[in-house]
Amino acid sequence: MSQSLPAILEEWKCMDEQYQNIQDTYKIYVQKLDEISKLQSSCSASISNQRRRLKEMTQSIKSNDLTAEEAKSIEEMNGKIKTRPNIFLEMESFLPKKNGIYLNLVLGSVNVTLLSKQAKFAYKDEYEKFKLCLTVILLVFSFICYFFINFRFVDAILNFLLVWYYCTLTIRESVLITNGSRIKGWWVFHHYISTFLSGVMLTWPDGHLYKVFRNQFIAYSLYQSFVQCLQCYYQSGCLYRLRALGERHNMDLTMEGFQSWMWRGLTFLLPFLFFGHFWQLFNSLSLFGMAKLPDCKEWQVLACGLCFLILFTGNFFTTVAVVRHKIKSKNETKAKNQ
Ligand code: COA
């Protein structure tokens, strides 16, 4: 039903008022954005300036001869100086910064810093969900390849999926690191090696040696996907609990609750992880054995063997280091609370 002219004019007047409001709000928004960008530049510049001056100051302190009283105040100052770098790092994770070489190559110089804690958590949460979703797909795919379909073309699809998955992880993890995540460099490097390994597997021709190693590799992929599902469950659990804690690292009482959950998860997960690491070693030894055979002509055998060896070494020693570090901080928290 068409409206009468006065009603239309009335509605237009109302819309026009709304339009003026939108314009005013937008003007304020642009103004605030401008202010924010100025504040960001000034904060970043002040932090770099403070860093340089702190460095100079630390050097000049060393060269001085000090009396007992001076030494006491210098010690106090040193204590404060030591805490500053971490505080600056935390601040910088909320300030725009230049991308590293990898992100610059892949995304260009677009700003990937997320400016609030909620946005950072949401990005990490989405990363964990993406990992879980892809891992389940890979699990099902490997299962089908192992038990039902033995066809080189289908194996190639599985390997391509693995290449794409690991590539995507390296990009997402670089964004996470820019946003203050403490992911160890090894885990990112691990994903580069895994990308390369899956790429090499993709190019391995369908000969006798491929057939010999194929089932072992697919079974390993199946197992790894299974362990990654457990790992995703553990890491999402950590994330939700940390979010519930709100402020990280400085609420010891609730932190204890978090740590006890984390230890239960970790003690369950670790045997599976170590078994996976030794499977990687076993894969590498099998491939080195194969490379010695007189009919081995494919370079892929040695390349994959080396990749598995690097994966085993890095995974095993990094996991041991992570666990040792966690035991140390658990003991420190206990000692602090006693
Ligand atoms: N991949 C991606 N991110 C990882 C990671 C991994 N393998 N291990 C740890 N991280 C991230 C954590 O999510 C956390 O991120 P945040 O700062 O954004 O919250 C950060 O790194 C620090 O984690 P940390 O406290 O050191 O470890 P954790 O308790 O989260 O996890 C392990 C510890 C041992 C469970 C984990 O490192 C792991 O699963 N390692 C084994 C991986 C492996 O060997 N895979 C092959 C299986 S066959």
Side-chain angles (χ1 to χ4, degrees):
M1 208 175 77
S2 64
Q3 285 175 298
S4 66
L5 191 62
I8 291 175
L9 285 175
E10 187 58 33
E11 196 180 333
W12 171 245
K13 206 174 139 200
C14 193
M15 274 176 70
D16 208 33
E17 267 169 30
Q18 211 176 27
Y19 171 74
Q20 288 306 326
N21 278 344
I22 295 172
Q23 275 209 324
D24 291 344
T25 318
Y26 179 72
K27 236 184 240 166
I28 297 171
Y29 171 67
V30 172
Q31 216 174 9
K32 297 265 180 215
L33 271 187
D34 197 42
E35 275 170 35
I36 285 180
S37 127
K38 277 183 192 147
L39 280 174
Q40 284 170 337
S41 309
S42 104
C43 260
S44 299
S46 310
I47 288 175
S48 325
N49 180 281
Q50 276 264 328
R51 270 216 183 96
R52 189 175 40 77
R53 287 175 58 193
L54 278 180
K55 207 172 151 194
E56 284 167 7
M57 196 172 268
T58 332
Q59 278 163 358
S60 65
I61 291 168
K62 273 180 199 160
S63 57
N64 284 350
D65 265 336
L66 306 168
T67 64
E69 206 169 301
E70 280 169 343
K72 201 182 159 211
S73 40
I74 291 294
E75 201 182 309
E76 235 170 64
M77 198 170 84
N78 266 339
K80 280 186 185 162
I81 287 178
K82 266 186 203 150
T83 60
R84 297 279 156 94
N86 281 344
I87 297 172
F88 288 147
L89 268 183
E90 173 92 18
M91 283 179 181
E92 272 179 338
S93 71
F94 290 92
L95 290 166
K97 57 172 142 335
K98 276 189 184 158
N99 290 338
I101 299 173
Y102 184 60
L103 275 184
N104 237 344
L105 280 173
V106 179
L107 302 176
S109 60
V110 62
N111 175 29
V112 291
T113 313
L114 300 163
L115 296 179
S116 71
K117 267 197 173 158
Q118 289 95 312
K120 285 182 201 290
F121 269 125
Y123 188 79
K124 174 88 187 194
D125 189 27
E126 212 253 323
Y127 157 85
E128 292 297 346
K129 279 193 187 132
F130 168 80
K131 250 169 75 170
L132 185 62
C133 183
L134 257 290
T135 308
V136 171
I137 293 173
L138 286 166
L139 186 91
V140 173
F141 212 137
S142 321
F143 185 84
I144 293 172
C145 285
Y146 190 80
F147 289 104
F148 303 109
I149 306 174
N150 188 346
F151 191 41
R152 182 66 184 89
F153 176 69
V154 182
D155 292 358
I157 297 177
L158 173 67
N159 282 310
F160 172 73
L161 202 59
L162 281 167
V163 172
W164 181 81
Y165 168 63
Y166 285 124
C167 267
T168 319
L169 285 193
T170 57
I171 301 170
R172 285 182 182 240
E173 278 158 8
S174 301
V175 174
L176 282 170
I177 290 170
T178 308
N179 282 289
S181 170
R182 301 154 300 143
I183 299 178
K184 306 243 169 343
W186 164 255
W187 301 125
V188 184
F189 189 57
H190 167 275
H191 295 138
Y192 285 112
I193 307 244
S194 302
T195 311
F196 179 75
L197 172 67
S198 314
V200 175
M201 284 301 295
L202 188 61
T203 64
W204 192 342
D206 190 17
H208 166 66
L209 288 181
Y210 177 80
K211 286 197 173 78
V212 172
F213 186 63
R214 187 234 177 222
N215 270 4
Q216 187 174 324
F217 177 74
I218 305 271
Y220 162 76
S221 295
L222 188 62
Y223 179 75
Q224 201 190 24
S225 304
F226 162 71
V227 175
Q228 266 169 14
C229 284
L230 296 181
Q231 193 191 328
C232 282
Y233 174 72
Y234 163 80
Q235 251 140 6
S236 308
C238 284
L239 186 70
Y240 285 125
R241 277 159 187 82
L242 277 175
R243 181 159 36 188
L245 275 176
E247 277 294 304
R248 287 163 152 210
H249 312 306
N250 50 11
M251 289 176 71
D252 284 343
L253 241 181
T254 25
M255 203 60 187
E256 238 182 28
F258 165 71
Q259 280 195 342
S260 101
W261 183 88
M262 186 194 74
W263 276 106
R264 262 182 289 137
L266 210 57
T267 33
F268 175 74
L269 191 58
L270 281 174
F272 291 101
L273 287 175
F274 284 126
F275 184 76
H277 299 161
F278 283 100
W279 197 333
Q280 286 165 344
L281 180 65
F282 172 61
N283 283 347
S284 114
L285 295 179
S286 310
L287 287 162
F288 287 145
M290 244 182 223
K292 282 194 203 136
L293 295 174
D295 62 336
C296 174
K297 301 275 182 300
E298 293 100 346
W299 58 270
Q300 284 91 346
V301 177
L302 206 58
C304 290
L306 268 175
C307 287
F308 275 119
L309 188 63
I310 298 172
L311 285 181
F312 161 73
T313 319
N315 283 344
F316 182 75
F317 289 107
T318 312
T319 307
V320 169
V322 167
V323 175
R324 276 190 59 189
H325 177 75
K326 281 179 189 285
I327 292 175
K328 212 174 128 195
S329 42
K330 185 187 176 192
N331 291 341
E332 273 169 14
T333 319
K334 243 188 196 170
K336 228 200 265 173
N337 290 339
Q338 269 167 8

